[in-house]
Amino acid sequence: MEMKVAFSGEKRVSASFKGFVVETDQPEAAGGGNTAPSPFDLFLASIGTCAGYYVLSFCLERGIPHEGVELLLRTERDRETGLIGKIEIAIRLPGGFPEEYREAVIRAASACTVKEHLTRPPEFFIYAEKKV
């Protein structure tokens, strides 16, 4: 996959890929206009939505109603590094959700490929090249 990243003015940066354009901005506290999510917010959203996709797929494959199911992602920063040290995903199940599927739905969310890439991160190669 190839993605083109461009500067959209002020502190906004956009990514174009697969016919989509994703806009980002920085919060006002970081000098941005807060007109779009920050890249880091999108990173966290990709984890939450990926886990959500796996929960939704689990329900759809088994004919389990998914109305009322939601995920809540919480983060905690490491005091020493300032980086996120803990990500917690709570799967909120409605009262009618079958109890026998509770552990299985947790396993489904844990299969999120974004999370898996964090546990086995890719190598990064960053370099500069002349624009043709």
Side-chain angles (χ1 to χ4, degrees):
M1 182 179 95
E2 185 171 277
M3 180 182 297
K4 181 179 178 184
V5 177
F7 307 126
S8 309
E10 298 180 6
K11 294 216 173 177
R12 294 186 310 270
V13 179
S14 63
S16 301
F17 58 99
K18 296 183 179 180
F20 298 103
V21 176
V22 176
E23 300 284 343
T24 69
D25 197 358
Q26 292 297 310
E28 289 177 0
N34 201 38
T35 62
S38 73
F40 193 74
D41 290 340
L42 290 178
F43 165 71
L44 293 175
S46 73
I47 296 168
T49 56
C50 181
Y53 166 76
Y54 278 82
V55 169
L56 176 61
S57 293
F58 176 87
C59 292
L60 291 173
E61 289 170 6
R62 288 157 185 80
I64 301 169
H66 58 276
E67 294 77 12
V69 176
E70 61 185 21
L71 284 74
L72 185 61
L73 187 140
R74 298 181 187 98
T75 62
E76 288 182 20
R77 290 203 179 267
D78 181 295
R79 293 179 194 254
E80 290 180 26
T81 66
L83 302 174
I84 298 295
K86 178 181 177 184
I87 297 174
E88 179 180 289
I89 299 174
I91 306 167
R92 293 181 164 178
L93 303 173
F97 193 87
E99 186 62 33
E100 65 267 22
Y101 290 120
R102 178 182 293 271
E103 292 302 316
V105 79
I106 293 169
R107 284 192 304 276
S110 296
C112 161
T113 55
V114 176
K115 180 189 77 63
E116 287 299 310
H117 275 79
L118 291 173
T119 61
R120 295 183 202 100
E123 289 185 72
F124 284 80
F125 298 93
I126 301 173
Y127 56 93
E129 63 184 18
K130 294 247 185 216
K131 188 173 180 180
V132 185

